[in-house]
Amino acid sequence: MSEHYEYVPHRLLRRRVRDIASGAEGELMAVINENVSDCLTYERWMELAYIRGSSGREFTTAVENVMPAYDQPQPARRRRENGSA
């Protein structure tokens, strides 16, 4: 495998996410477009998400498997109830 890679911006960086393939949760640390080929004759590029779990160890998954963890606190929203000023 060659050492070619590039960082990719992602809207969930530094947020709590869930890997839908394994069910594991953690903080999305980076998304990297990386050559995952084990052969020198061709390249196979893939966007990998690096997630740091609660143990502190990072694991990778396909970026398509990453979704927000909805159990995190949501920003407070103001609602006007009927009859309130």
Side-chain angles (χ1 to χ4, degrees):
M1 183 172 99
S2 67
E3 298 299 321
H4 292 74
Y5 61 91
E6 63 184 1
Y7 286 90
V8 178
H10 195 277
R11 66 183 180 88
L12 296 174
L13 280 175
R14 299 291 184 191
R15 294 186 180 259
R16 188 159 182 78
V17 296
R18 177 176 293 124
D19 171 22
I20 60 172
S22 67
E25 292 187 7
E27 182 180 349
L28 181 61
M29 303 306 292
V31 175
I32 297 178
N33 191 20
E34 188 171 340
N35 181 10
V36 295
S37 175
D38 60 353
C39 180
L40 296 176
T41 58
Y42 68 94
E43 295 181 347
R44 181 168 180 253
W45 291 85
M46 182 174 178
E47 285 189 357
L48 293 175
Y50 284 76
I51 301 172
R52 181 175 294 159
S54 60
S55 67
R57 297 189 92 181
E58 289 187 8
F59 61 93
T60 60
T61 189
V63 75
E64 293 85 11
N65 291 341
V66 174
M67 62 179 281
Y70 290 112
D71 57 345
Q72 58 188 345
Q74 298 294 320
R77 294 185 180 164
R78 289 185 157 177
R79 265 193 307 196
R80 287 185 95 181
E81 295 180 19
N82 292 338
S84 64

